Amino acid sequence: MRAALVTLAELGLGADGAPGRRTWAVLGEMLELGDESIHQHDLLGRMAVRMNIKKLVVVGRGAKPAYNSAVLEGSWGDEAYYVEDVEEARALLEEQLQPGDIALFKSSNGAGLRFLGDEIAAFAKEGDKA
C-alpha cells in the first residue's frame, strides 16, 4: 500500500512538480496483518497526509486507524473521510469526484474495494466525471 500511495502522489503532480490533479486514496482493511494491523493502518493514514494526498477515504472498521492517524496528522474537514462500508464509500465518491481526479482503491481482496473501483470507473466514464 505504501508503494501505491507514493505512485498516487507522483501521478498527482504537474509537469513542474507542483500540485496538479486532485488525488484520492480509498483505503480498506489489510486483512492479513494480524497483530500489526493497527500500527500498519496508522502508518498509512500518516503517510497519506505527509505525501499530500488530497482526499483520503477509509472504508471499514478494521482500517479506521488510518483515518484516525490522518486526522491527528492534520487532515480534517473535507480532506479525510471514514465510512463504514463500500456502499457509503460509493455514495461519497459519486458525489465528490470531479473530472481529472485520480483515485486509488487499495485493500485486501476480502475487503471488496476492487469492485468499487471498477464501479466508480464505469460511473465516471458514463458521466464523464473523472
Side-chain angles (χ1 to χ4, degrees), residues 86-112:
V86 172
E87 290 75 29
E88 284 185 57
R90 179 184 302 107
L92 173 72
L93 293 166
E94 287 178 353
E95 178 185 312
Q96 298 282 329
L97 279 174
Q98 298 175 2
D101 287 355
I102 302 171
L104 165 73
F105 294 83
K106 193 81 174 110
S107 70
S108 292
N109 286 336

PDB file of all heavy atoms in Angstrom, residues 86-112:
ATOM      1  N   VAL A  86     -18.604  -0.281   1.855  1.00  0.00           N
ATOM      2  CA  VAL A  86     -18.402   0.035   0.439  1.00  0.00           C
ATOM      3  C   VAL A  86     -19.544   0.888  -0.107  1.00  0.00           C
ATOM      4  O   VAL A  86     -19.307   1.790  -0.913  1.00  0.00           O
ATOM      5  CB  VAL A  86     -18.228  -1.275  -0.373  1.00  0.00           C
ATOM      6  CG1 VAL A  86     -18.212  -0.998  -1.859  1.00  0.00           C
ATOM      7  CG2 VAL A  86     -16.959  -1.999   0.048  1.00  0.00           C
ATOM      8  N   GLU A  87     -20.759   0.645   0.347  1.00  0.00           N
ATOM      9  CA  GLU A  87     -21.899   1.415  -0.157  1.00  0.00           C
ATOM     10  C   GLU A  87     -21.776   2.897   0.212  1.00  0.00           C
ATOM     11  O   GLU A  87     -22.054   3.772  -0.614  1.00  0.00           O
ATOM     12  CB  GLU A  87     -23.223   0.841   0.372  1.00  0.00           C
ATOM     13  CG  GLU A  87     -23.592  -0.506  -0.213  1.00  0.00           C
ATOM     14  CD  GLU A  87     -22.767  -1.671   0.340  1.00  0.00           C
ATOM     15  OE1 GLU A  87     -22.306  -1.588   1.504  1.00  0.00           O
ATOM     16  OE2 GLU A  87     -22.552  -2.640  -0.397  1.00  0.00           O
ATOM     17  N   GLU A  88     -21.357   3.173   1.445  1.00  0.00           N
ATOM     18  CA  GLU A  88     -21.141   4.564   1.854  1.00  0.00           C
ATOM     19  C   GLU A  88     -20.009   5.193   1.055  1.00  0.00           C
ATOM     20  O   GLU A  88     -20.089   6.363   0.677  1.00  0.00           O
ATOM     21  CB  GLU A  88     -20.819   4.647   3.345  1.00  0.00           C
ATOM     22  CG  GLU A  88     -21.999   4.468   4.255  1.00  0.00           C
ATOM     23  CD  GLU A  88     -21.611   4.676   5.703  1.00  0.00           C
ATOM     24  OE1 GLU A  88     -21.090   5.760   6.038  1.00  0.00           O
ATOM     25  OE2 GLU A  88     -21.810   3.740   6.501  1.00  0.00           O
ATOM     26  N   ALA A  89     -18.972   4.431   0.799  1.00  0.00           N
ATOM     27  CA  ALA A  89     -17.853   4.940   0.002  1.00  0.00           C
ATOM     28  C   ALA A  89     -18.314   5.271  -1.415  1.00  0.00           C
ATOM     29  O   ALA A  89     -17.966   6.317  -1.965  1.00  0.00           O
ATOM     30  CB  ALA A  89     -16.711   3.923  -0.027  1.00  0.00           C
ATOM     31  N   ARG A  90     -19.106   4.393  -1.995  1.00  0.00           N
ATOM     32  CA  ARG A  90     -19.627   4.623  -3.349  1.00  0.00           C
ATOM     33  C   ARG A  90     -20.423   5.926  -3.414  1.00  0.00           C
ATOM     34  O   ARG A  90     -20.215   6.753  -4.303  1.00  0.00           O
ATOM     35  CB  ARG A  90     -20.506   3.456  -3.800  1.00  0.00           C
ATOM     36  CG  ARG A  90     -21.106   3.661  -5.201  1.00  0.00           C
ATOM     37  CD  ARG A  90     -22.068   2.546  -5.605  1.00  0.00           C
ATOM     38  NE  ARG A  90     -21.423   1.255  -5.573  1.00  0.00           N
ATOM     39  CZ  ARG A  90     -21.653   0.316  -4.640  1.00  0.00           C
ATOM     40  NH1 ARG A  90     -22.518   0.535  -3.663  1.00  0.00           N
ATOM     41  NH2 ARG A  90     -21.030  -0.837  -4.685  1.00  0.00           N
ATOM     42  N   ALA A  91     -21.320   6.122  -2.461  1.00  0.00           N
ATOM     43  CA  ALA A  91     -22.144   7.333  -2.449  1.00  0.00           C
ATOM     44  C   ALA A  91     -21.280   8.582  -2.310  1.00  0.00           C
ATOM     45  O   ALA A  91     -21.488   9.577  -3.018  1.00  0.00           O
ATOM     46  CB  ALA A  91     -23.161   7.263  -1.313  1.00  0.00           C
ATOM     47  N   LEU A  92     -20.303   8.541  -1.435  1.00  0.00           N
ATOM     48  CA  LEU A  92     -19.404   9.684  -1.238  1.00  0.00           C
ATOM     49  C   LEU A  92     -18.634   9.999  -2.512  1.00  0.00           C
ATOM     50  O   LEU A  92     -18.570  11.157  -2.947  1.00  0.00           O
ATOM     51  CB  LEU A  92     -18.424   9.385  -0.094  1.00  0.00           C
ATOM     52  CG  LEU A  92     -17.323  10.418   0.115  1.00  0.00           C
ATOM     53  CD1 LEU A  92     -17.890  11.693   0.707  1.00  0.00           C
ATOM     54  CD2 LEU A  92     -16.234   9.852   1.008  1.00  0.00           C
ATOM     55  N   LEU A  93     -18.081   8.975  -3.131  1.00  0.00           N
ATOM     56  CA  LEU A  93     -17.276   9.193  -4.337  1.00  0.00           C
ATOM     57  C   LEU A  93     -18.124   9.669  -5.512  1.00  0.00           C
ATOM     58  O   LEU A  93     -17.704  10.548  -6.270  1.00  0.00           O
ATOM     59  CB  LEU A  93     -16.515   7.916  -4.693  1.00  0.00           C
ATOM     60  CG  LEU A  93     -15.443   7.540  -3.684  1.00  0.00           C
ATOM     61  CD1 LEU A  93     -14.978   6.111  -3.909  1.00  0.00           C
ATOM     62  CD2 LEU A  93     -14.282   8.510  -3.737  1.00  0.00           C
ATOM     63  N   GLU A  94     -19.297   9.105  -5.674  1.00  0.00           N
ATOM     64  CA  GLU A  94     -20.161   9.544  -6.769  1.00  0.00           C
ATOM     65  C   GLU A  94     -20.543  11.007  -6.615  1.00  0.00           C
ATOM     66  O   GLU A  94     -20.714  11.715  -7.592  1.00  0.00           O
ATOM     67  CB  GLU A  94     -21.394   8.652  -6.864  1.00  0.00           C
ATOM     68  CG  GLU A  94     -21.076   7.280  -7.427  1.00  0.00           C
ATOM     69  CD  GLU A  94     -22.271   6.345  -7.491  1.00  0.00           C
ATOM     70  OE1 GLU A  94     -23.359   6.697  -6.975  1.00  0.00           O
ATOM     71  OE2 GLU A  94     -22.120   5.250  -8.058  1.00  0.00           O
ATOM     72  N   GLU A  95     -20.629  11.469  -5.385  1.00  0.00           N
ATOM     73  CA  GLU A  95     -20.967  12.869  -5.121  1.00  0.00           C
ATOM     74  C   GLU A  95     -19.748  13.788  -5.250  1.00  0.00           C
ATOM     75  O   GLU A  95     -19.861  14.905  -5.743  1.00  0.00           O
ATOM     76  CB  GLU A  95     -21.545  12.992  -3.713  1.00  0.00           C
ATOM     77  CG  GLU A  95     -21.882  14.412  -3.316  1.00  0.00           C
ATOM     78  CD  GLU A  95     -22.344  14.488  -1.876  1.00  0.00           C
ATOM     79  OE1 GLU A  95     -23.203  13.687  -1.479  1.00  0.00           O
ATOM     80  OE2 GLU A  95     -21.833  15.363  -1.148  1.00  0.00           O
ATOM     81  N   GLN A  96     -18.599  13.336  -4.824  1.00  0.00           N
ATOM     82  CA  GLN A  96     -17.438  14.203  -4.667  1.00  0.00           C
ATOM     83  C   GLN A  96     -16.413  14.186  -5.812  1.00  0.00           C
ATOM     84  O   GLN A  96     -15.700  15.167  -5.994  1.00  0.00           O
ATOM     85  CB  GLN A  96     -16.701  13.842  -3.371  1.00  0.00           C
ATOM     86  CG  GLN A  96     -17.518  14.030  -2.119  1.00  0.00           C
ATOM     87  CD  GLN A  96     -17.599  15.478  -1.709  1.00  0.00           C
ATOM     88  OE1 GLN A  96     -16.685  16.252  -1.944  1.00  0.00           O
ATOM     89  NE2 GLN A  96     -18.694  15.853  -1.089  1.00  0.00           N
ATOM     90  N   LEU A  97     -16.284  13.070  -6.518  1.00  0.00           N
ATOM     91  CA  LEU A  97     -15.271  13.012  -7.578  1.00  0.00           C
ATOM     92  C   LEU A  97     -15.538  14.066  -8.648  1.00  0.00           C
ATOM     93  O   LEU A  97     -16.686  14.330  -8.993  1.00  0.00           O
ATOM     94  CB  LEU A  97     -15.242  11.630  -8.231  1.00  0.00           C
ATOM     95  CG  LEU A  97     -14.474  10.550  -7.494  1.00  0.00           C
ATOM     96  CD1 LEU A  97     -14.667   9.205  -8.188  1.00  0.00           C
ATOM     97  CD2 LEU A  97     -13.007  10.874  -7.376  1.00  0.00           C
ATOM     98  N   GLN A  98     -14.457  14.626  -9.157  1.00  0.00           N
ATOM     99  CA  GLN A  98     -14.559  15.648 -10.198  1.00  0.00           C
ATOM    100  C   GLN A  98     -13.734  15.225 -11.405  1.00  0.00           C
ATOM    101  O   GLN A  98     -12.812  14.414 -11.285  1.00  0.00           O
ATOM    102  CB  GLN A  98     -14.028  16.981  -9.666  1.00  0.00           C
ATOM    103  CG  GLN A  98     -14.806  17.525  -8.499  1.00  0.00           C
ATOM    104  CD  GLN A  98     -14.183  18.788  -7.925  1.00  0.00           C
ATOM    105  OE1 GLN A  98     -13.186  19.301  -8.417  1.00  0.00           O
ATOM    106  NE2 GLN A  98     -14.775  19.284  -6.853  1.00  0.00           N
ATOM    107  N   PRO A  99     -14.034  15.775 -12.576  1.00  0.00           N
ATOM    108  CA  PRO A  99     -13.234  15.448 -13.756  1.00  0.00           C
ATOM    109  C   PRO A  99     -11.750  15.733 -13.489  1.00  0.00           C
ATOM    110  O   PRO A  99     -11.391  16.741 -12.899  1.00  0.00           O
ATOM    111  CB  PRO A  99     -13.787  16.396 -14.829  1.00  0.00           C
ATOM    112  CG  PRO A  99     -15.187  16.670 -14.381  1.00  0.00           C
ATOM    113  CD  PRO A  99     -15.123  16.705 -12.871  1.00  0.00           C
ATOM    114  N   GLY A 100     -10.919  14.802 -13.903  1.00  0.00           N
ATOM    115  CA  GLY A 100      -9.476  14.961 -13.740  1.00  0.00           C
ATOM    116  C   GLY A 100      -8.925  14.375 -12.450  1.00  0.00           C
ATOM    117  O   GLY A 100      -7.711  14.247 -12.297  1.00  0.00           O
ATOM    118  N   ASP A 101      -9.778  14.016 -11.500  1.00  0.00           N
ATOM    119  CA  ASP A 101      -9.315  13.404 -10.256  1.00  0.00           C
ATOM    120  C   ASP A 101      -8.685  12.046 -10.541  1.00  0.00           C
ATOM    121  O   ASP A 101      -9.081  11.341 -11.483  1.00  0.00           O
ATOM    122  CB  ASP A 101     -10.467  13.201  -9.280  1.00  0.00           C
ATOM    123  CG  ASP A 101     -10.964  14.489  -8.651  1.00  0.00           C
ATOM    124  OD1 ASP A 101     -10.363  15.557  -8.886  1.00  0.00           O
ATOM    125  OD2 ASP A 101     -11.969  14.423  -7.920  1.00  0.00           O
ATOM    126  N   ILE A 102      -7.731  11.670  -9.719  1.00  0.00           N
ATOM    127  CA  ILE A 102      -7.117  10.346  -9.780  1.00  0.00           C
ATOM    128  C   ILE A 102      -7.478   9.628  -8.487  1.00  0.00           C
ATOM    129  O   ILE A 102      -7.244  10.156  -7.400  1.00  0.00           O
ATOM    130  CB  ILE A 102      -5.589  10.432  -9.883  1.00  0.00           C
ATOM    131  CG1 ILE A 102      -5.162  11.236 -11.109  1.00  0.00           C
ATOM    132  CG2 ILE A 102      -4.973   9.029  -9.926  1.00  0.00           C
ATOM    133  CD1 ILE A 102      -3.676  11.542 -11.131  1.00  0.00           C
ATOM    134  N   ALA A 103      -8.043   8.423  -8.607  1.00  0.00           N
ATOM    135  CA  ALA A 103      -8.452   7.672  -7.419  1.00  0.00           C
ATOM    136  C   ALA A 103      -7.743   6.329  -7.368  1.00  0.00           C
ATOM    137  O   ALA A 103      -7.709   5.591  -8.348  1.00  0.00           O
ATOM    138  CB  ALA A 103      -9.961   7.461  -7.418  1.00  0.00           C
ATOM    139  N   LEU A 104      -7.161   6.035  -6.216  1.00  0.00           N
ATOM    140  CA  LEU A 104      -6.537   4.750  -5.928  1.00  0.00           C
ATOM    141  C   LEU A 104      -7.465   3.981  -5.005  1.00  0.00           C
ATOM    142  O   LEU A 104      -7.906   4.525  -3.986  1.00  0.00           O
ATOM    143  CB  LEU A 104      -5.187   4.967  -5.231  1.00  0.00           C
ATOM    144  CG  LEU A 104      -4.571   3.750  -4.547  1.00  0.00           C
ATOM    145  CD1 LEU A 104      -4.041   2.776  -5.592  1.00  0.00           C
ATOM    146  CD2 LEU A 104      -3.469   4.168  -3.596  1.00  0.00           C
ATOM    147  N   PHE A 105      -7.751   2.737  -5.343  1.00  0.00           N
ATOM    148  CA  PHE A 105      -8.541   1.855  -4.495  1.00  0.00           C
ATOM    149  C   PHE A 105      -7.621   0.727  -4.061  1.00  0.00           C
ATOM    150  O   PHE A 105      -7.085   0.004  -4.895  1.00  0.00           O
ATOM    151  CB  PHE A 105      -9.736   1.276  -5.264  1.00  0.00           C
ATOM    152  CG  PHE A 105     -10.734   2.313  -5.657  1.00  0.00           C
ATOM    153  CD1 PHE A 105     -10.548   3.084  -6.798  1.00  0.00           C
ATOM    154  CD2 PHE A 105     -11.863   2.538  -4.890  1.00  0.00           C
ATOM    155  CE1 PHE A 105     -11.462   4.052  -7.168  1.00  0.00           C
ATOM    156  CE2 PHE A 105     -12.790   3.509  -5.249  1.00  0.00           C
ATOM    157  CZ  PHE A 105     -12.586   4.267  -6.384  1.00  0.00           C
ATOM    158  N   LYS A 106      -7.437   0.585  -2.735  1.00  0.00           N
ATOM    159  CA  LYS A 106      -6.483  -0.417  -2.260  1.00  0.00           C
ATOM    160  C   LYS A 106      -6.965  -1.022  -0.955  1.00  0.00           C
ATOM    161  O   LYS A 106      -7.339  -0.308  -0.022  1.00  0.00           O
ATOM    162  CB  LYS A 106      -5.117   0.242  -2.061  1.00  0.00           C
ATOM    163  CG  LYS A 106      -3.998  -0.730  -1.887  1.00  0.00           C
ATOM    164  CD  LYS A 106      -3.534  -1.255  -3.232  1.00  0.00           C
ATOM    165  CE  LYS A 106      -2.294  -2.131  -3.066  1.00  0.00           C
ATOM    166  NZ  LYS A 106      -2.534  -3.530  -3.299  1.00  0.00           N
ATOM    167  N   SER A 107      -6.960  -2.351  -0.909  1.00  0.00           N
ATOM    168  CA  SER A 107      -7.302  -3.106   0.291  1.00  0.00           C
ATOM    169  C   SER A 107      -6.944  -4.560   0.024  1.00  0.00           C
ATOM    170  O   SER A 107      -6.524  -4.916  -1.074  1.00  0.00           O
ATOM    171  CB  SER A 107      -8.795  -2.993   0.600  1.00  0.00           C
ATOM    172  OG  SER A 107      -9.549  -3.696  -0.376  1.00  0.00           O
ATOM    173  N   SER A 108      -7.161  -5.395   1.005  1.00  0.00           N
ATOM    174  CA  SER A 108      -7.092  -6.835   0.772  1.00  0.00           C
ATOM    175  C   SER A 108      -8.261  -7.222  -0.123  1.00  0.00           C
ATOM    176  O   SER A 108      -9.294  -6.552  -0.121  1.00  0.00           O
ATOM    177  CB  SER A 108      -7.171  -7.596   2.090  1.00  0.00           C
ATOM    178  OG  SER A 108      -6.025  -7.380   2.864  1.00  0.00           O
ATOM    179  N   ASN A 109      -8.116  -8.304  -0.840  1.00  0.00           N
ATOM    180  CA  ASN A 109      -9.194  -8.742  -1.732  1.00  0.00           C
ATOM    181  C   ASN A 109     -10.509  -8.915  -0.980  1.00  0.00           C
ATOM    182  O   ASN A 109     -11.570  -8.570  -1.487  1.00  0.00           O
ATOM    183  CB  ASN A 109      -8.820 -10.045  -2.429  1.00  0.00           C
ATOM    184  CG  ASN A 109      -7.791  -9.833  -3.516  1.00  0.00           C
ATOM    185  OD1 ASN A 109      -7.662  -8.743  -4.058  1.00  0.00           O
ATOM    186  ND2 ASN A 109      -7.048 -10.876  -3.834  1.00  0.00           N
ATOM    187  N   GLY A 110     -10.453  -9.429   0.224  1.00  0.00           N
ATOM    188  CA  GLY A 110     -11.651  -9.688   1.004  1.00  0.00           C
ATOM    189  C   GLY A 110     -12.409  -8.439   1.425  1.00  0.00           C
ATOM    190  O   GLY A 110     -13.566  -8.515   1.824  1.00  0.00           O
ATOM    191  N   ALA A 111     -11.782  -7.272   1.335  1.00  0.00           N
ATOM    192  CA  ALA A 111     -12.441  -6.032   1.739  1.00  0.00           C
ATOM    193  C   ALA A 111     -13.373  -5.480   0.659  1.00  0.00           C
ATOM    194  O   ALA A 111     -14.202  -4.627   0.932  1.00  0.00           O
ATOM    195  CB  ALA A 111     -11.404  -4.978   2.131  1.00  0.00           C
ATOM    196  N   GLY A 112     -13.235  -5.931  -0.590  1.00  0.00           N
ATOM    197  CA  GLY A 112     -14.187  -5.600  -1.637  1.00  0.00           C
ATOM    198  C   GLY A 112     -14.001  -4.283  -2.376  1.00  0.00           C
ATOM    199  O   GLY A 112     -14.853  -3.896  -3.155  1.00  0.00           O
TER     200      GLY A 112
END
